[in-house]
Amino acid sequence: SSCWIAPILPQAMWCAVAVRAAIPRKPGTTTMQQIDFYHHVRDPLGFACKLASTVMGKGQRLLVLLPDSASLARLDALLWTWQPTSFIPHCTLDQPHAAETPVLLSTQLPAGMAPAPVLLNLSLGVPEGYTRFERLLEIVGEEPSSLARARQVARAYKAAGLAAVYHDMTGR
């Protein structure tokens, strides 16, 4: 996977990224403010690209958590080609330019502080340490197994005292 170089980012976004990264958080504290479930999504990886673009367009950074390296490779390729006239700057969490890159990809959450304020969870479960993020996004496909998994994940978040917002994406 190629890593995006920071100077391509518009200068206005440099400030947003720098300010967001500079906000100190105490390790182990819950910062979770919002959980969004997008359910009945026809193309989950394509929709992940759309969400990444939206989050990035708001000047925020995003970590996409994937279940395995094959899924990471598929999303990596799609982020470069998702739109015919643009791409979504991204790299894996372990690459040298990760601190300056708006969209990060990983198959596991790093220890310590969250590397981005927004987590897009495609890991097929409840990620340990998700409360370190300010916002959590979940994409749920149309197939029954995806919907059943999402119900289990939503119950776990509710049991932790967190409320979720549900977005029905049927037909979109």
Side-chain angles (χ1 to χ4, degrees):
S1 141
S2 300
C3 191
W4 166 80
I5 308 291
I8 296 172
L9 186 64
Q11 192 169 13
M13 287 183 70
W14 292 352
C15 295
V17 170
V19 168
R20 178 64 72 179
I23 296 172
R25 290 189 219 152
K26 294 179 182 175
T29 61
T30 301
T31 60
M32 180 64 57
Q33 295 176 4
Q34 184 173 342
I35 300 174
D36 290 279
F37 276 86
Y38 298 89
H39 59 93
H40 293 98
V41 175
R42 185 174 298 136
D43 175 15
L45 283 184
F47 193 73
C49 292
K50 180 178 181 173
L51 285 179
S53 178
T54 300
V55 169
M56 189 182 77
K58 292 179 179 180
Q60 292 186 312
R61 297 183 72 218
L62 171 75
L63 173 63
V64 183
L65 182 63
L66 296 130
D68 53 50
S69 57
S71 298
L72 189 146
R74 282 193 304 275
L75 184 59
D76 176 37
L78 191 56
L79 287 167
W80 288 112
T81 60
W82 177 62
Q83 293 291 327
T85 58
S86 66
F87 69 97
I88 298 171
H90 67 283
C91 71
T92 58
L93 195 54
D94 60 351
Q95 291 188 344
H97 297 292
E100 297 88 27
T101 305
V103 178
L104 303 168
L105 309 178
S106 184
T107 57
Q108 60 185 10
L109 290 182
M113 288 180 31
V118 182
L119 173 63
L120 172 52
N121 181 28
L122 301 178
S123 73
L124 307 178
V126 178
E128 191 172 319
Y130 69 88
T131 57
R132 293 178 289 151
F133 295 83
E134 294 172 19
R135 188 166 180 207
L136 176 61
L137 309 174
E138 295 273 352
I139 298 175
V140 183
E142 296 176 317
E143 60 280 342
S145 62
S146 182
L147 294 166
R149 178 204 59 84
R151 284 186 203 96
Q152 290 177 336
V153 169
R155 280 193 288 273
Y157 294 148
K158 186 175 182 177
L162 300 168
V165 176
Y166 297 92
H167 309 274
D168 187 356
M169 305 306 291
T170 302
R172 292 189 238 175

